[in-house]
Amino acid sequence: MDELNLWISAAAASGSPLGDIIIRSVNSLFGGGGLIVMIVVAAIVATAILGTTLSCMNTGVRVTYAISHDTEVPEPLGKLNPRYGTPAIGVWVMTLVSAGIGAFGVLSLTNLTAVTLLSNFGTFLLYGITCIVAVLAFKMNAVQC
């Protein structure tokens, strides 16, 4: 039990507690190699974040493209590149907006925390609104039948 308390105290004082826990766990279980495993885990996490970011940007561009055909956003966001058939202007706009948010986020830990919290709040808000709209749509459809 004392060793667990030692680990918890070390994690609380650490700048990167998850990395330290991985190093300590692997070194304790396998007698070494914890730093290598921690670096591999960090690379996997970085790859996952990059993939998630690209996937969200692609989704955002496609949704913006579809909305532009309903004339809810400016028409140029719905123009397709004749060579590749992709909404190139939408891709550039999404890239610039994402770069701006990222540039703001890396200025300080407070800014990064604000970007993270606003992103999570926006995601939950959008999900909640989507659920409410779906329930109302099903209810209205059932009444009309």
Side-chain angles (χ1 to χ4, degrees):
M1 192 64 169
D2 290 332
E3 188 174 340
L4 178 62
N5 289 333
L6 178 67
W7 278 37
I8 292 172
S9 298
S14 173
S16 59
L18 187 57
D20 289 347
I21 289 172
I22 292 171
I23 291 171
R24 285 176 174 253
S25 299
V26 171
N27 287 344
S28 294
L29 293 172
F30 301 107
L35 181 63
I36 294 170
V37 172
M38 191 263 310
I39 290 171
V40 169
V41 169
I44 290 169
V45 168
T47 304
I49 290 172
L50 178 65
T52 301
T53 302
L54 291 174
S55 139
C56 288
M57 286 178 65
N58 187 35
T59 302
V61 168
R62 293 297 176 173
V63 168
T64 305
Y65 167 77
I67 292 173
S68 74
H69 286 285
D70 293 338
T71 65
E72 299 294 329
V73 297
E75 185 181 333
L77 294 174
K79 296 286 185 190
L80 293 178
N81 181 318
R83 184 173 178 190
Y84 299 110
T86 59
I89 295 173
V91 170
W92 280 109
V93 169
M94 182 65 76
T95 300
L96 292 174
V97 168
S98 298
I101 292 170
F104 174 76
V106 299
L107 292 176
S108 71
L109 184 59
T110 303
N111 290 0
L112 183 61
T113 303
V115 168
T116 303
L117 293 175
L118 289 172
S119 172
N120 287 340
F121 178 73
T123 301
F124 294 138
L125 186 65
L126 181 63
Y127 178 71
I129 290 170
T130 303
C131 290
I132 291 169
V133 168
V135 167
L136 292 175
F138 281 122
K139 186 175 184 177
M140 290 175 67
N141 192 23
V143 172
Q144 291 177 355
C145 293

